[in-house]
Amino acid sequence: MKKALVCGAGGFIGGHLVKRLKAEGFWVRGVDLKENEYGNNMCDEFILGDLREPSVARKVVEGIEEVYQLAADMGGAGYIFTGEHDAGVMHNSALCNLNVLDAAEQAGVKKIFYSSSACMYPEYNQLDPDNPKCSEDSAYPAAPDSEYGWEKLFSERLYFAYQRNTGIDVKVARFHNIFGPQGTWTGGKEKAPAAMCRKVAEAEEGSSIEVWGDGKQTRSFLYIDDCVEAVRRLMESDFSGPVNIGSEEMISINDFARMAIDISGKKLSIKNIPGPTGVRGRNSDNKLIREKLGWEPQKTLRQGMELTFKWIHANVQKAAQEVS
Ligand code: NAD
């Protein structure tokens, strides 16, 4: 039985990845600062631990063949684009990467996956909402618009430096807005799809929901199962990346809000308000992943949003019942 370690197993993507690895027959150890709050914890062994501590990183890699490093100080636009958490985001995430990668290499781990982000792409290529450029080779000259993106870029380089100097097999993916059920949907760290579903689910018939910015900014969103499939294909391939894992189905944020409203069946209007928005336009470019891994998303945005809305709607109702 192959032994895998998932760092950040208490998080959204980590929880789903553990489920997938278990379905494939892996023995899985998970580590995180917290347990998965939605019960998505199928690890054979779960360690509550802080990967900023080198001793914790050394302990969790023992006996492991492959590592998935997803632990990061992370959140949606309301967390990473306001500037308030910059020091923590850079310090905490960099320490997790420095410690886990070094411990893995020392312990003789064969392969390590690292989850980078589309946030590392330069802002100057994402000023036109209708025509953003995010091909893998457009990363330099570097100019991410957030410290979160700069840390991702630093860590990508760290992983490839270890691969060159020590021979550890490294796989790096740049995730573009992954969403789905069992992810953060409230509390300030939620990302746009979950926030949109929550606002719509909470809104009273005939009222309005608030959407940050003018709503003309564009993004693409990838459903979680498609993301996990791409991660596994990358891990099994002889390709190291960096490679985009995202959807090419770009949509404006106001149209995205309209989609969530339509799914709910409610009559709601949109109120655009000032807020942290990030770059004007972003879309995945899947030419490389298609060529190297033969991967395509299987779910449309609408299909993914229907599943996500259903799950968040149920949580909103449950929370309302608990209050009353
Ligand atoms: P998440 O916040 O749900 O998961 C990250 C997990 O890391 C959390 O459970 C957190 O507690 C844990 N963690 C943070 N600091 C830690 C520490 N010091 N020690 C141990 N655990 C720690 O986020 P996610 O959406 O599941 O993202 C997973 C990875 O993918 C992250 O690296 C993130 O930057 C990257 N990513 C995600 C997206 C997305 O759209 N969700 C997009 C781009 C990149």
Side-chain angles (χ1 to χ4, degrees), residues 179 221 249 251 256 259 299-306:
F179 77 104
F221 303 92
E249 196 184 333
I251 188 168
F256 190 45
M259 182 186 280
K299 282 225 176 1
T300 62
L301 179 59
R302 172 89 192 196
Q303 288 169 333
M305 277 298 278
E306 282 172 359

Side-chain angles (χ1 to χ4, degrees), residues 49-311:
D50 188 339
L51 292 166
R52 289 171 297 184
E53 291 293 332
S55 59
V56 172
R58 283 196 294 270
K59 182 174 142 197
V60 294
V61 296
E62 272 170 26
I64 292 293
E65 280 145 87
E66 44 191 70
V67 172
Y68 295 82
Q69 199 325 66
L70 290 97
D73 193 352
M74 154 73 178
Y79 189 75
I80 57 175
F81 296 136
T82 60
E84 288 164 49
H85 306 106
D86 285 352
V89 163
M90 297 187 89
H91 174 90
N92 297 333
S93 299
L95 276 182
C96 290
N97 286 311
L98 288 160
N99 290 339
V100 172
L101 179 53
D102 195 62
E105 193 274 316
Q106 298 281 329
V109 167
K110 293 194 182 70
K111 264 193 245 184
I112 184 162
F113 170 86
Y114 172 56
S115 53
S116 180
S117 164
C119 288
M120 47 64 61
Y121 283 115
E123 186 176 18
Y124 57 76
N125 280 334
Q126 302 172 85
L127 299 174
D128 176 0
D130 299 321
N131 205 15
K133 185 175 178 197
C134 290
S135 55
E136 288 82 352
D137 60 3
S138 70
Y140 297 96
D145 71 326
S146 66
E147 302 302 357
Y148 170 77
W150 279 104
E151 189 282 327
K152 289 292 187 192
L153 197 55
F154 161 76
S155 290
E156 282 190 8
R157 299 191 67 94
L158 178 73
Y159 280 80
F160 286 117
Y162 266 69
Q163 176 159 265
R164 285 195 306 276
N165 292 171
T166 73
I168 188 169
D169 192 0
V170 155
K171 312 285 182 191
V172 175
R174 294 171 178 163
F175 290 160
H176 290 242
N177 291 319
I178 314 304
F179 77 104
Q182 295 175 304
T184 306
W185 61 277
T186 188
K189 281 191 160 190
E190 63 277 19
K191 301 190 77 189
M196 213 69 94
C197 291
R198 190 201 66 234
K199 287 177 187 181
V200 170
E202 287 174 345
E204 297 204 358
E205 187 73 43
S207 66
S208 63
I209 59 158
E210 291 183 341
V211 172
W212 289 343
D214 63 7
K216 292 182 183 142
Q217 67 272 30
T218 53
R219 290 294 184 279
S220 69
F221 303 92
L222 181 71
Y223 191 66
I224 181 68
D225 293 357
D226 284 323
C227 168
V228 169
E229 170 68 24
V231 169
R232 287 292 301 129
R233 284 200 199 186
L234 178 59
M235 259 326 233
E236 294 302 310
S237 75
D238 55 10
F239 179 53
S240 283
V243 66
N244 290 329
I245 294 185
S247 158
E248 291 176 321
E249 196 184 333
M250 191 169 81
I251 188 168
S252 77
I253 292 301
N254 273 359
D255 282 347
F256 190 45
R258 284 186 200 102
M259 182 186 280
I261 293 169
D262 190 53
I263 289 169
S264 76
K266 293 184 186 176
K267 284 208 166 39
L268 302 173
S269 55
I270 293 168
K271 189 175 164 203
N272 290 108
I273 59 160
T277 56
V279 292
R280 284 299 287 161
R282 176 172 292 153
N283 194 12
S284 186
D285 179 328
N286 290 352
K287 189 167 171 280
L288 187 64
I289 194 166
R290 233 178 259 126
E291 180 190 313
K292 296 286 183 188
L293 306 178
W295 173 91
E296 287 280 0
Q298 297 301 303
K299 282 225 176 1
T300 62
L301 179 59
R302 172 89 192 196
Q303 288 169 333
M305 277 298 278
E306 282 172 359
L307 295 165
T308 308
F309 182 79
K310 196 172 163 203
W311 182 79

Side-chain angles (χ1 to χ4, degrees), residues 1-7 9 13-30 42-44 64 66-70 113 228-229 231-233 235-236:
M1 218 187 226
K2 250 192 185 174
K3 289 191 166 187
L5 169 70
V6 177
C7 304
I13 303 173
H16 285 275
L17 180 62
V18 170
K19 189 160 57 174
R20 168 67 187 256
L21 290 168
K22 285 303 300 165
E24 286 189 43
F26 279 79
W27 182 93
V28 184
R29 178 181 295 147
M42 293 183 63
C43 296
D44 294 282
I64 292 293
E66 44 191 70
V67 172
Y68 295 82
Q69 199 325 66
L70 290 97
F113 170 86
V228 169
E229 170 68 24
V231 169
R232 287 292 301 129
R233 284 200 199 186
M235 259 326 233
E236 294 302 310

